[in-house]
Amino acid sequence: MTIMAAINCNSLPQFSQKFNKTHQFTPLISKPHFLSIQKDPAFIIRNTPKLTNTRVVSALISEDKVVELSPSDTDDAFKLTYLEGNSWLWEVGGVKILVDPILVGNLDFGIPFLYDASKKYLKNFQLNDLPEVNCLLITQSLDDHCHLKTLKPLSQKLPNLKVIATPNAKTLLDPLFNNVIYLEPGENSEIQTSNGSYVKVRATAGPVLGPPWQRPENGYIVTSPQQKLSLYYEPHCVYNDEIIGKEQADIVITPVIKQLLPSFTLVSGQEDAVRLAKLLRSKFVVSMKNGDLDSKGVLASLVQSDGTVASFKELLSKDLPDVKVLEPVPGVPLDISPS
């Protein structure tokens, strides 16, 4: 069953592109500028470079102008920093949320002779490079989301860190952290900001990684303090149409490139990602390449990719021409703010 658990992960590789260049991650900069990259006056998006010697490329950039944000806009802005694989650092309302972190060692599911993967760009990024984190968010119980090599030293540094997680990870997280909230789909939790307001976190149903009777893993909808902006995240692009159709999220973070084994879909995308954005009535899709890792082993060689970001954009433009696709650069904050 260990091998099956490894196969059922969503961090196995895509083979469409290979990169050899490693970038140094710089976690904090001063006096960032805000770069507007779309004309819709209701939202502002900015890219604040964090990697040295890195060129930020986006097909969406149509004009370059500096935009000043009001305090209320800043309070409801989302700053999304992709840390490769399924790992993210989000900031909203001054609250920093660490998502499915893999920051110590490789990803190998305990079977490195069958599968072993490392990051391509943020190879030098470590736990000590993180800013002060207010909450840890765990979507799934497998190693590519609940990575014990990372979580054990993190818990030693921050044993009282607030954790919001799938109940499937209870046996892994209870020995590590003192403040864990396990959410079933449909349940809510809150993270208090420094000014006394709250960031709301709502669990949704994700994939079933095991027998059909096993409870699903989690997706999440995160809503800003003044409820001006909301974000949906589930790293397999697996969802229940009827349930998710009752939700709404301005921003969708999702894989758009499928990852396939013979006769089995590890990670969905493409038309399923289009339908997800449509059901959630989203304005932005943030595409993630969670299989784009340096990997080796028998299991890695079995996985194939289907589709590209370009083919996803083409599909999306037919049904949802007004939805913007944003392609995050690892280590480079992507900011989306109501104006």
Side-chain angles (χ1 to χ4, degrees):
M1 294 305 294
T2 302
I3 294 178
M4 289 306 299
I7 291 176
N8 280 333
C9 75
N10 71 317
S11 292
L12 297 181
Q14 303 161 23
F15 300 96
S16 57
Q17 294 181 330
K18 299 293 182 183
F19 303 91
N20 295 319
K21 189 171 183 179
T22 300
H23 300 293
Q24 177 68 38
F25 183 81
T26 305
L28 299 173
I29 66 170
S30 60
K31 299 181 180 179
H33 289 281
F34 307 116
L35 178 63
S36 173
I37 63 175
Q38 50 95 32
K39 297 182 179 180
D40 185 350
F43 290 90
I44 298 169
I45 308 171
R46 68 183 187 234
N47 279 69
T48 306
K50 297 284 188 176
L51 296 176
T52 59
N53 301 320
T54 301
R55 185 167 64 97
V56 179
V57 180
S58 174
L60 299 177
I61 296 178
S62 58
E63 58 179 345
D64 293 353
K65 67 177 183 180
V66 175
V67 179
E68 296 295 335
L69 298 181
S70 68
S72 61
D73 288 338
T74 304
D75 190 50
D76 281 274
F78 276 88
K79 178 183 290 186
L80 312 173
T81 305
Y82 188 38
L83 302 179
E84 295 191 75
N86 299 304
S87 304
W88 291 85
L89 180 63
W90 303 337
E91 183 175 354
V92 57
V95 169
K96 294 181 178 65
I97 305 172
L98 183 63
V99 184
D100 291 349
I102 299 179
L103 301 175
V104 178
N106 284 3
L107 172 64
D108 60 24
F109 300 93
I111 48 171
F113 53 95
L114 291 176
Y115 182 82
D116 187 34
S118 62
K119 296 182 179 183
K120 289 186 173 182
Y121 306 107
L122 306 181
K123 294 182 181 294
N124 297 323
F125 185 79
Q126 301 174 6
L127 280 178
N128 290 336
D129 294 316
L130 285 173
E132 183 178 351
V133 175
N134 304 104
C135 182
L136 171 67
L137 193 66
I138 300 294
T139 62
Q140 299 181 18
S141 56
L142 294 182
D143 201 35
D144 54 335
H145 308 270
C146 193
H147 189 245
L148 292 182
K149 292 179 184 177
T150 296
L151 298 184
K152 286 180 179 178
L154 180 63
S155 69
Q156 292 168 0
K157 292 181 59 177
L158 301 169
N160 296 316
L161 177 65
K162 183 183 182 74
V163 181
I164 299 175
T166 167
N168 290 344
K170 182 176 176 62
T171 58
L172 300 173
L173 295 174
D174 274 358
L176 301 178
F177 295 95
N178 300 325
N179 183 19
V180 187
I181 298 171
Y182 298 103
L183 295 184
E184 297 282 355
E187 293 182 341
N188 301 314
S189 184
E190 293 178 328
I191 310 167
Q192 188 170 11
T193 70
S194 59
N195 64 10
S197 59
Y198 291 90
V199 174
K200 179 180 175 182
V201 179
R202 178 175 177 83
T204 63
V208 175
L209 302 180
W213 55 86
Q214 183 172 318
R215 72 166 304 285
E217 304 287 351
N218 282 0
Y220 296 102
I221 294 177
V222 180
T223 304
S224 65
Q226 302 304 318
Q227 302 182 20
K228 293 182 179 180
L229 208 57
S230 56
L231 174 151
Y232 171 83
Y233 177 64
E234 194 290 305
H236 277 238
C237 194
V238 174
Y239 51 90
N240 179 290
D241 287 35
E242 182 178 353
I243 294 174
I244 212 69
K246 298 176 183 178
E247 306 286 355
Q248 192 277 328
D250 303 293
I251 307 162
V252 173
I253 300 178
T254 183
V256 301
I257 300 171
K258 294 183 179 181
Q259 297 174 49
L260 308 172
L261 284 170
S263 303
F264 184 80
T265 300
L266 292 170
V267 176
S268 194
Q270 296 293 288
E271 64 277 356
D272 291 331
V274 172
R275 189 169 70 253
L276 176 62
K278 188 172 185 178
L279 288 168
L280 288 170
R281 303 180 298 283
S282 302
K283 298 175 176 66
F284 304 101
V285 173
V286 179
S287 64
M288 57 183 290
K289 298 180 179 179
N290 49 0
D292 191 18
L293 301 169
D294 283 331
S295 59
K296 58 185 178 181
V298 175
L299 293 180
S301 66
L302 293 176
V303 182
Q304 300 296 322
S305 62
D306 178 31
T308 63
V309 175
S311 63
F312 167 74
K313 289 180 179 179
E314 184 176 354
L315 289 170
L316 186 72
S317 66
K318 294 177 181 178
D319 282 354
L320 301 169
D322 295 329
V323 175
K324 305 295 189 294
V325 179
L326 309 176
E327 299 180 52
V329 176
V332 181
L334 175 66
D335 292 62
I336 304 175
S337 174
S339 62

